[in-house]
Amino acid sequence: MIDLATERKTTFITPRQREVVALIAAGCSNDELGVRLGISPRTAKAHCDTLRQKLGVRRRRQIPMAFRLLTGEDPLSAGRSWLAAAARLPR
């Protein structure tokens, strides 16, 4: 998948990208990401593409696991404070 020993030191995940990872881990589609983040689905896809490249994975569904392996953090708690507020939004 990725060489974690070297990638851990060089990959920086922004706070916004952590929100995206948390929403992907929660099962949100690009359309749902867009609604919850106030962006278009196309911009949500661009965030996913950037994360896939940074984390060295091929598939969107691998992003949360790669994030966990890289950072040691639970993807669902990565954006926990923000997710609590977003949970109140209608789906």
Side-chain angles (χ1 to χ4, degrees):
M1 188 153 75
I2 56 177
D3 182 9
L4 296 176
T6 57
E7 291 295 320
R8 184 180 299 264
K9 297 174 186 167
T10 60
T11 302
F12 178 73
I13 306 297
T14 67
R16 183 63 155 194
Q17 289 170 339
R18 287 173 182 272
E19 293 173 358
V20 172
V21 170
L23 289 169
I24 291 170
C28 292
S29 67
N30 285 340
D31 290 336
E32 292 169 327
L33 279 171
V35 169
R36 292 179 183 275
L37 297 176
I39 58 178
S40 73
R42 186 172 177 175
T43 302
K45 183 184 179 314
H47 279 299
C48 293
D49 292 343
T50 300
L51 281 165
R52 283 188 311 103
Q53 184 177 21
K54 278 187 170 185
L55 296 171
V57 296
R58 290 184 169 195
R59 304 205 183 275
R60 183 182 191 272
R61 67 178 176 236
Q62 296 171 319
I63 290 172
M65 181 58 70
F67 176 82
R68 176 176 233 148
L69 290 172
L70 181 69
T71 65
E73 297 176 36
D74 177 9
L76 288 173
S77 68
R80 183 153 317 251
S81 61
W82 185 86
L83 277 174
R88 293 187 294 270
L89 291 175
R91 283 187 168 235

